[in-house]
Amino acid sequence: VGGSKEAYAACEPFFKTLAAAEAYQHVGPSGSGHYVKMVHNAIEYGMLQVLGEGFWLLKASDHALDLKNIAHLWNQGSVVRSWLLELTEKALADKNFPHVADVIGGGETGTWAVKEALDRKIPAPLISMAVMERFESSQEENFGHKLIASLRHQFGGHEVKEK
C-alpha cells in the first residue's frame, strides 16, 4: 500500500480484514504500492514464461514423461518449488488442456514494467520477452514469421510450408 503513514494507519483495519496475514504492508508514498505491484506482475510474467517453456521442452522430449508427476516431484523441496508449480501440476492433470486456446491474456502491468525498465536503462530481457510472447500469442497470423519464411526461401532455398 502506498500513501501517507496516516492514511495507511486509518485504513489498516480494512487491509487486515481483507488480506492474508502478512500479505500487505506500507511500502512508501502515494503511488509506490502500484509500482511494487507492477514489478510483482512483471516478475510473474517471467516465471510463467519459463514454466511454459520448460514443460513444453519436457513434453517434446523422446521420453514418455509424466509431466504432472514431474511438477509434483519438483514441488517436494526442489529449488523451483512454488505455488505456480502447484498450479502447473493441477493444470497438467487436465491432459493437453482441451478447452484452452494458445492465447495468453493479461493486463498492462508487464508493458508498464518494460517501459519503466527502458526509461531507467535497466536491462529486463526476460520480462520484455514474456510481454512480447503475450502480444504474439494474440495475433491471428504472424506476418513477421511469414515474411521471414519467404526471405529464407529466397536466399537459401529453405522450405516454406503452405497454409
Side-chain angles (χ1 to χ4, degrees):
V1 178
S4 71
K5 289 181 180 181
E6 297 78 26
Y8 175 80
C11 296
E12 187 175 13
F14 297 108
F15 305 142
K16 187 176 273 187
T17 299
L18 296 173
E22 298 188 51
Y24 68 94
Q25 66 178 248
H26 183 251
V27 295
S30 184
S32 61
H34 283 71
Y35 193 85
V36 168
K37 179 61 174 166
M38 173 191 71
V39 174
H40 166 279
N41 288 5
I43 292 169
E44 175 189 307
Y45 275 41
M47 292 171 72
L48 292 170
Q49 184 68 32
V50 77
L51 283 169
E53 290 176 12
F55 277 89
W56 189 3
L57 184 59
L58 290 170
K59 184 178 185 322
S61 80
D62 293 335
H63 308 285
L65 300 173
D66 185 330
L67 302 183
K68 178 185 155 302
N69 285 341
I70 291 169
H72 180 79
L73 171 68
W74 287 354
N75 243 349
Q76 308 311 307
S78 136
V79 71
V80 296
R81 69 187 177 274
S82 66
W83 182 54
L84 288 175
L85 198 52
E86 289 175 24
L87 295 176
T88 299
E89 180 183 353
K90 183 178 175 184
L92 292 168
D94 181 10
K95 298 282 187 206
N96 298 317
F97 335 108
H99 57 285
V100 179
D102 64 347
V103 175
I104 307 166
E108 294 295 316
T109 53
T111 304
W112 298 339
V114 170
K115 289 176 183 174
E116 182 70 7
L118 290 169
D119 288 347
R120 296 187 179 278
K121 296 181 178 30
I122 295 174
L126 184 62
I127 293 167
S128 299
M129 192 269 309
V131 170
M132 295 305 139
E133 283 285 324
R134 287 185 177 205
F135 292 162
E136 200 278 329
S137 80
S138 69
Q139 303 299 310
E140 287 185 30
E141 184 176 86
N142 188 316
F143 177 80
H145 288 175
K146 288 176 63 170
L147 179 60
I148 292 166
S150 176
L151 293 171
R152 285 177 42 86
H153 177 71
Q154 291 179 66
F155 72 71
H158 300 281
E159 177 187 6
V160 172
K161 294 189 180 199
E162 300 290 330
K163 277 180 149 188

